[in-house]
């Protein structure tokens, strides 16, 4: 836990029942604290709306004031903060921290979340001092994608995805914490305030770094996801987006060296970290579809890119199924097959010495079936040196693989 002059003092009471016990993290849009909820003394996390470029702490160390130039914008953002809470509280996903209370106090607003016990993936990585295995990372990836899908479904973005904001719980789950802000929430803060707000260097995509909030979308979180995967799999510092832009190699191996990482995973990371937002995945489903079949050859849609080519398979199409055989009507007894074999074959135009008899017999069967006769499945004629005999339809059919 860190300490700075702009954080609430330990022991501060909020909303008459939450007591601050520590400082968990700070970002451009707010500060997150560890607190206990009276009277049960349950641990919770509380996020305080505090804009680094606009707010400062008063002399009492608790109240929040706003620079005069941003008073109106701050008021607008408080309203959006509360609206964001209303959407966040609707998210019910095991891989996203639960938000359940919101209130205004000290000249700003707060919302309350579950406190997630465990250690974040960045701390685990530092303790290991070695990359994670691909098996472990793919296990985390599936859970992270599930959480992101839940967030995006409410028209929200995380905007600060990184290993330090992914908690690994004692039961093995991973949870996304320290949620960022929605696109609407960021809109209107102004470019001068946006610089340095709601982002982590090297994990934030170009559109977030540049303050182009109108260009933010799910693809912005995917860039940070790619950077997160790279960090976990290599234990290396994530490159800047300018380094990626300047690397003109197809697989970005100069900016993104990934020794001992499979080609499949390298392609995924390069796709996620494309500096052009339009060439990244546009939804969680795009990523899941690619993961199911990254090398589909006969059912693939290829996204051509000067930097990388990613194959996104189309939805698999099942081959047409043969119609279900319908039982023959039993209202009238079938007409028996004529006993004269030679006459039958002559009538059907079949040469009994013709080696193509087996194929023709199938044609005969269709005609007989249409006439309501018992089907002819074999005949007492020499075929490939063997002797066959007429049989009734309920007897064993010929192996069609011989045809």
């Amino acid at each position: 836990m860190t300490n700075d002059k702009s954080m609430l003092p330990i022991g501060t009471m909020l909303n008459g029942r939450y007591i601050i016990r520590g400082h968990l993290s700070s970002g451009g849009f707010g500060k997150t604290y560890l607190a206990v909820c009276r009277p049960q003394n349950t641990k919770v996390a509380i996020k305080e709306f505090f804009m680094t470029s606009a707010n400062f702490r008063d002399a009492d160390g608790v109240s929040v004031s706003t620079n005069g130039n941003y008073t109106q914008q701050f008021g607008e953002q408080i309203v959006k903060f509360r609206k964001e809470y209303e959407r966040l509280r609707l998210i019910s996903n095991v891989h996203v921290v639960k938000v359940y209370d919101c209130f205004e106090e000290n000249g700003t607003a707060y919302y309350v979340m579950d406190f997630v016990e465990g250690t974040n993936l960045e701390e685990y990585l530092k303790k290991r001092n070695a990359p994670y295995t691909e098996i472990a990372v793919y296990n985390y990836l599936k859970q992270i994608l599930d959480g992101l899908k839940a967030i995006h479904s409410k028209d929200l973005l995380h905007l600060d995805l990184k290993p330090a904001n992914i908690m690994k719980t004692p039961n093995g789950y991973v949870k996304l914490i320290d949620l960022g802000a929605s696109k609407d929430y960021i809109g209107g803060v102004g470019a001068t305030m946006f610089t340095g707000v709601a982002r982590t260097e090297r994990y934030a995509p170009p559109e977030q770094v540049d303050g182009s909030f109108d260009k933010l979308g799910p693809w912005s979180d995917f860039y940070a996801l790619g950077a997160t995967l790279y960090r976990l799999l290599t234990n290396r510092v994530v490159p800047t987006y300018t380094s990626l832009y300047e690397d003109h190699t197809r697989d970005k191996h100069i900016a993104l060296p990934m020794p001992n990482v499979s080609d499949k995973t390298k392609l995924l990371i390069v796709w996620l970290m494309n500096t052009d937002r339009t060439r990244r995945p546009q939804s969680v489903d795009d990523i899941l579809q690619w993961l199911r079949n990254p090398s589909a050859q006969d059912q693939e849609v290829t996204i051509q890119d000067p930097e990388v080519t990613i194959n996104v398979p189309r939805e698999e199409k099942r081959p047409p199924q043969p119609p279900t055989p319908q039982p023959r009507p039993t209202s009238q007894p079938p007409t028996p097959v004529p006993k004269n074999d030679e006459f039958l074959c002559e009538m059907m135009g079949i040469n009994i010495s013709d080696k193509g008899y087996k194929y023709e017999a199938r044609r005969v069967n269709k005609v007989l079936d249409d006439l309501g006769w018992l089907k002819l499945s074999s005949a007492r004629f020499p075929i490939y040196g063997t002797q066959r005999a007429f049989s009734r339809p309920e007897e064993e059919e010929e192996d069609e693989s011989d045809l």
Side-chain angles (χ1 to χ4, degrees):
M1 297 181 184
T2 60
N3 195 353
D4 63 60
K5 295 181 180 180
S6 64
M7 67 178 257
L8 286 171
I10 292 176
T12 300
M13 173 81 75
L14 295 176
N15 204 31
R17 58 177 181 152
Y18 301 110
I19 302 175
I20 300 299
R21 293 299 186 206
H23 180 232
L24 297 175
S25 64
S26 292
F29 272 125
K31 301 181 182 297
T32 306
Y33 304 92
L34 170 65
V36 292
C37 179
R38 298 175 60 186
Q40 298 88 354
N41 287 332
T42 305
K43 287 183 179 180
V44 296
I46 298 180
K47 184 170 183 177
E48 178 185 45
F49 183 61
F50 191 99
M51 300 181 71
T52 304
S53 301
N55 298 127
F56 59 90
R57 197 74 65 180
D58 289 345
D60 62 5
V62 176
S63 301
V64 174
S65 293
T66 307
N67 294 327
N69 295 335
Y70 302 118
T71 301
Q72 180 179 351
Q73 291 172 320
F74 179 75
E76 293 171 351
Q77 297 310 307
I78 285 287
V79 174
K80 292 181 179 181
F81 183 86
R82 292 190 65 91
K83 288 182 178 179
E84 179 186 344
Y85 157 74
E86 293 299 330
R87 284 183 283 182
L88 286 172
R89 72 184 182 88
L90 297 177
I91 298 175
S92 180
N93 186 283
V94 68
H95 303 301
V96 181
V97 64
K98 182 65 178 175
V99 178
Y100 55 84
D101 193 11
C102 184
F103 56 91
E104 291 189 30
E105 193 173 355
N106 302 324
T108 188
Y110 303 83
Y111 61 67
V112 184
M113 305 168 281
D114 285 334
F115 175 72
V116 182
E117 299 280 359
T119 306
N120 67 61
L121 296 187
E122 181 65 31
E123 291 179 353
Y124 269 114
L125 188 63
K126 291 178 179 178
K127 289 179 182 178
R128 289 169 53 93
N129 195 28
Y132 286 88
T133 65
E134 284 193 57
I135 293 176
V137 170
Y138 272 104
N139 178 41
Y140 298 151
L141 175 60
K142 292 176 183 178
Q143 300 178 64
I144 294 168
L145 288 173
D146 190 56
L148 284 177
K149 188 169 185 177
I151 294 171
H152 294 168
S153 70
K154 304 302 180 184
D155 293 326
L156 294 167
L157 306 175
H158 191 289
L159 294 180
D160 199 18
L161 187 63
K162 56 186 177 181
N165 282 340
I166 303 171
M167 296 293 294
K168 183 179 178 182
T169 64
N171 61 8
Y173 282 105
V174 296
K175 281 182 179 284
L176 305 182
I177 63 169
D178 200 14
L179 302 182
S182 69
K183 177 181 176 182
D184 291 338
Y185 175 48
I186 293 174
V189 301
T192 56
M193 292 179 64
F194 190 83
T195 54
V197 172
R199 74 179 192 189
T200 298
E201 294 294 338
R202 298 176 184 268
Y203 289 89
E207 63 270 19
Q208 190 173 352
V209 175
D210 295 342
S212 303
F213 49 81
D214 60 322
K215 297 177 181 177
L216 294 174
W219 47 86
S220 305
D221 281 339
F222 300 150
Y223 183 96
L225 175 60
T228 296
L229 298 180
Y230 177 80
R231 172 73 176 140
L232 297 179
L233 287 166
T234 65
N235 196 25
R236 295 171 183 250
V237 175
V238 177
T240 62
Y241 78 85
T242 53
S243 297
L244 288 169
Y245 182 79
E246 293 168 357
D247 183 353
H248 300 295
T249 62
R250 184 178 180 83
D251 59 359
K252 299 294 182 184
H253 65 271
I254 298 175
L256 290 171
M258 290 181 269
N260 304 317
V261 175
S262 69
D263 290 341
K264 167 190 171 182
T265 305
K266 288 178 182 178
L267 276 176
L268 175 61
I269 292 173
V270 172
W271 186 28
L272 293 170
M273 295 188 71
N274 197 307
T275 54
D276 182 347
R277 71 184 188 284
T278 66
R279 297 186 182 277
R280 294 179 217 141
Q282 300 297 290
S283 68
V284 168
D285 287 339
D286 285 348
I287 301 173
L288 293 175
Q289 189 176 346
W290 186 85
L291 288 173
R292 285 193 293 268
N293 194 1
S295 58
Q297 298 299 322
D298 55 345
Q299 301 180 35
E300 69 183 13
V301 176
T302 302
I303 299 177
Q304 295 295 343
D305 181 55
E307 301 170 343
V308 65
T309 298
I310 292 292
N311 295 324
V312 182
R314 297 191 185 99
E315 290 294 333
E316 293 184 5
K317 295 182 179 180
R318 296 183 61 187
Q321 300 296 315
T324 304
Q326 298 297 321
R328 190 184 333 201
T330 57
S331 56
Q332 295 181 354
T335 305
V337 176
K339 297 181 180 181
N340 190 319
D341 299 349
E342 291 80 2
F343 172 77
L344 174 62
C345 290
E346 181 180 353
M347 180 179 70
M348 293 299 181
I350 300 175
N351 185 347
I352 62 174
S353 63
D354 187 356
K355 289 187 177 181
Y357 166 74
K358 242 185 185 183
Y359 170 81
E360 294 291 339
R362 295 296 180 187
R363 182 171 64 84
V364 172
N365 280 340
K366 184 178 186 310
V367 174
L368 295 178
D369 190 52
D370 291 340
L371 295 174
W373 292 3
L374 291 177
K375 293 176 67 175
L376 178 65
S377 60
S378 59
R380 190 185 296 108
F381 303 126
I383 305 173
Y384 302 102
T386 62
Q387 294 292 325
R388 306 283 180 153
F390 285 104
S391 62
R392 298 184 62 81
E394 61 267 26
E395 295 179 7
E396 183 178 355
E397 295 184 356
E398 287 185 325
D399 183 3
E400 294 189 4
S401 63
D402 293 337
L403 296 180

